[in-house]
Amino acid sequence: MMNPFERFYDTKIDVYAAEENEYEKKGQKNLLGTVVCDIQPYRSDMESKPYGLSENVSYKLFCDKNDLMKIGRYVSFAGAWYMIATVEIWSFGMTVMIRSCDDAC
């Protein structure tokens, strides 16, 4: 089945898995692969913050189904790090919510 949203996929992001140790999930990140997707800003708390500013920047990614996008993994694009918070699989693709984690990664 053809994905009608593929024409909007214009951004390449790198997907990483972090080595886990006994105490924390942070550590050396290993590149798993690259995914082409559409990235849309997403802020559920925009109304409650003055001028729409938020400390925790989030994005929603739209991409083809793949095995790289899993909750707890990291993605990097535009020089920033994000952690995958949710993954929703649809019949023709998937939606992935990512949250900024520059301070916590």
Side-chain angles (χ1 to χ4, degrees), residues 43-54:
R43 291 193 178 124
S44 61
D45 62 342
M46 189 177 282
E47 299 83 25
S48 63
K49 300 278 184 179
Y51 306 107
L53 299 175
S54 175

Side-chain angles (χ1 to χ4, degrees), residues 21-80:
N21 61 37
E22 294 178 34
Y23 304 105
E24 59 188 350
K25 201 170 184 177
K26 297 189 299 186
Q28 179 69 32
K29 292 178 184 57
N30 300 315
L31 179 64
L32 299 175
T34 302
V35 175
V36 179
C37 61
D38 178 38
I39 300 175
Q40 298 293 321
Y42 181 83
R43 291 193 178 124
S44 61
D45 62 342
M46 189 177 282
E47 299 83 25
S48 63
K49 300 278 184 179
Y51 306 107
L53 299 175
S54 175
E55 295 294 322
N56 191 7
V57 177
S58 298
Y59 291 95
K60 210 170 206 181
L61 310 179
F62 301 91
C63 60
D64 288 333
K65 291 180 192 176
N66 63 72
D67 293 332
L68 296 175
M69 301 295 217
K70 296 186 189 258
I71 295 172
R73 288 189 175 168
Y74 297 91
V75 299
S76 175
F77 69 92

